[in-house]
Amino acid sequence: MRIGILTFHQSVNNGAVMQAYSLSRKIKELYPTCEVEIVDYRMKKVQAGYSYTLRSYLGHAPLSKRIRKCLYLIRHPMFLWRMQHRTEVFRFCLNKLPLSPKCILSDIPSEVYAYINERYDILVVGSDAVWNYLSRGFGNAYLPSHAVTCKKMSYAASCYGMNFLNRPEQERKAIGDTLEDFSFIGVRDDATEDFVQWSGCHMIPVHTCDPTAFLDVNDLPIDEEKLYQKLKKKGFDFSKPTIGMMGTTCMLKMIRRMYGKQYQIAALYEYTPGADINLYDLEPYEWAYVFRYFKVTFTTYFHGTMLSLRNGIPVICIALETEFAKIHTPKTLDVLTRLGFEEWYFKTDYRTENIEAIKQQADKFLANNFRKQILAAIDKEAESYNAFQDALEELIRHI
């Protein structure tokens, strides 16, 4: 029995790699006699976006935009080098994923469909925002058509970021027809439950947690001593209480106004001028581990929220003002509400709005230990995997 997982494993994004790693490992642990692989499918148009040469960065944008980009590079001369370095780190770490023997690099779905039909008995689509097709185009492989003849399931799939309510009627019908062919539809959030129902699909979507909810952060493919030395080299002071952050310089300035130099601030994912330590170039597995060194994490990111909580560290989650969030529940608020931590979610302009409330909550986190409460909540959320497991077991038995 061979099970393939079709997801965004190749993204230069910590959370995307970690959800792929966690889901593939979970299925393999529960079904050790099955071959479990991540379909090494990469869209050319997506991969092109990870080329940080000067030519690709400036691209074919209008002259005014290219001028703005040039001015940005003058102010931040190391930007392209940092992005190239981070991309190389991600490419190297993909070797730790159980990838399929063949890599399919194509924007044509039929090419990966042929490989899936030839190789897999069951295809699992997800996790992550695999059903948001705005950047990849409608009719992409993550909504596999009837041309995929093996059994199909989704796990924690999401349409996050796409206002599907204004999509054309022919797309709605095509999506509904595609989803009808699935044996099980597991979705990550309420918005995607609405997406499935909007499509006209008669299958009932089931909530399944993001795979990072059940990730074992104490058993990651990292060298702990090597990571310790890497952090020290970057200036990490293990004797000083630390605030982690994943956000903009506006977020950093807000934290500085609140606490000055009382805490060291470690910026994850993106290089943030002014942070005490910048950890933009950690491997995803190291990134998933390093949250344990913080007292609290300030973040706008979904997987930053999840991995901080998975390490038992509380979060101040800052809302992003997007068009999607005006109509649908944001994914970070969705998961925090499920966990019972919705009061940890704030809207702010980083200067006046809710600043006092944010600081009061952060002060509580800094003064108290919330680890037991957090781990109990996220362990409970992880139990939603069981519905998928039952459906997968049924499929395996019949096949």
Side-chain angles (χ1 to χ4, degrees), residues 76-233:
H76 305 279
M78 296 295 290
F79 171 74
L80 289 179
W81 180 87
R82 290 192 186 104
M83 296 304 292
Q84 290 168 359
H85 175 55
R86 187 172 72 176
T87 301
E88 284 303 314
V89 169
F90 273 79
R91 285 175 180 163
F92 175 77
C93 80
L94 288 180
N95 295 328
K96 297 178 181 179
L97 295 175
L99 300 181
S100 60
K102 182 179 179 180
C103 174
I104 303 98
L105 181 63
S106 174
D107 292 332
I108 303 172
S110 60
E111 294 186 15
V112 70
Y113 290 170
Y115 185 69
I116 290 169
N117 287 337
E118 171 190 308
R119 187 163 181 82
Y120 300 108
D121 301 291
I122 298 173
L123 177 69
V124 179
V125 181
S127 169
D128 222 333
V130 290
W131 289 346
N132 178 344
Y133 52 82
L134 292 184
S135 63
R136 288 170 171 78
F138 180 69
N140 66 60
Y142 299 96
L143 278 163
S145 73
H146 295 281
V148 175
T149 55
C150 67
K151 296 295 184 181
K152 290 174 284 190
M153 311 174 72
S154 72
Y155 184 85
S158 177
C159 66
Y160 184 78
M162 182 179 71
N163 182 12
F164 53 86
L165 297 176
N166 62 11
R167 303 309 300 170
E169 178 65 9
Q170 70 265 25
E171 288 184 9
R172 184 190 71 81
K173 289 182 177 179
I175 291 166
D177 181 59
T178 294
L179 293 179
E180 287 285 0
D181 203 33
F182 277 60
S183 299
F184 176 87
I185 298 178
V187 298
R188 191 175 69 182
D189 43 62
D190 284 345
T192 311
E193 289 188 35
D194 295 340
F195 170 76
V196 174
Q197 293 165 357
W198 162 84
S199 76
C201 174
H202 294 91
M203 292 280 293
I204 299 174
V206 178
H207 170 69
T208 46
C209 64
D210 187 87
T212 55
F214 48 73
L215 176 68
D216 186 350
V217 292
N218 295 311
D219 185 24
L220 294 169
I222 63 170
D223 183 326
E224 293 181 35
E225 178 59 27
K226 182 179 177 182
L227 175 58
Y228 177 80
Q229 294 301 328
K230 181 187 291 188
L231 295 177
K232 283 188 68 175
K233 187 175 180 180

Side-chain angles (χ1 to χ4, degrees), residues 308-355:
S308 186
L309 296 175
R310 187 64 272 178
N311 279 275
I313 303 302
V315 294
I316 296 292
C317 191
I318 305 298
L320 290 174
E321 298 296 328
T322 65
E323 290 302 312
F324 181 87
K326 293 177 182 178
I327 302 170
H328 307 284
T329 304
K331 55 186 173 181
T332 45
L333 178 57
D334 182 277
V335 72
L336 287 174
T337 301
R338 293 179 192 278
L339 295 169
F341 301 145
E342 60 267 30
E343 71 274 13
W344 300 358
Y345 183 88
F346 298 90
K347 292 183 178 181
T348 185
D349 58 4
Y350 295 109
R351 294 198 63 85
T352 57
E353 184 183 7
N354 288 327
I355 295 298

Side-chain angles (χ1 to χ4, degrees), residues 40-51:
D40 196 6
Y41 172 59
R42 311 176 190 203
M43 294 186 73
K44 287 183 178 180
K45 65 172 71 175
V46 174
Q47 294 303 299
Y50 298 134
S51 175

Side-chain angles (χ1 to χ4, degrees), residues 265-315:
I265 300 176
L268 288 83
Y269 187 58
E270 293 183 350
Y271 183 87
T272 309
D276 297 299
I277 311 103
N278 270 286
L279 305 177
Y280 68 93
D281 58 348
L282 293 181
E283 288 186 10
Y285 313 101
E286 295 173 331
W287 171 84
Y289 186 92
V290 80
F291 287 91
R292 67 189 60 207
Y293 297 128
F294 306 152
K295 296 284 288 183
V296 61
T297 303
F298 284 70
T299 184
T300 60
Y301 290 87
F302 175 80
H303 282 114
T305 299
M306 293 298 294
L307 267 301
S308 186
L309 296 175
R310 187 64 272 178
N311 279 275
I313 303 302
V315 294

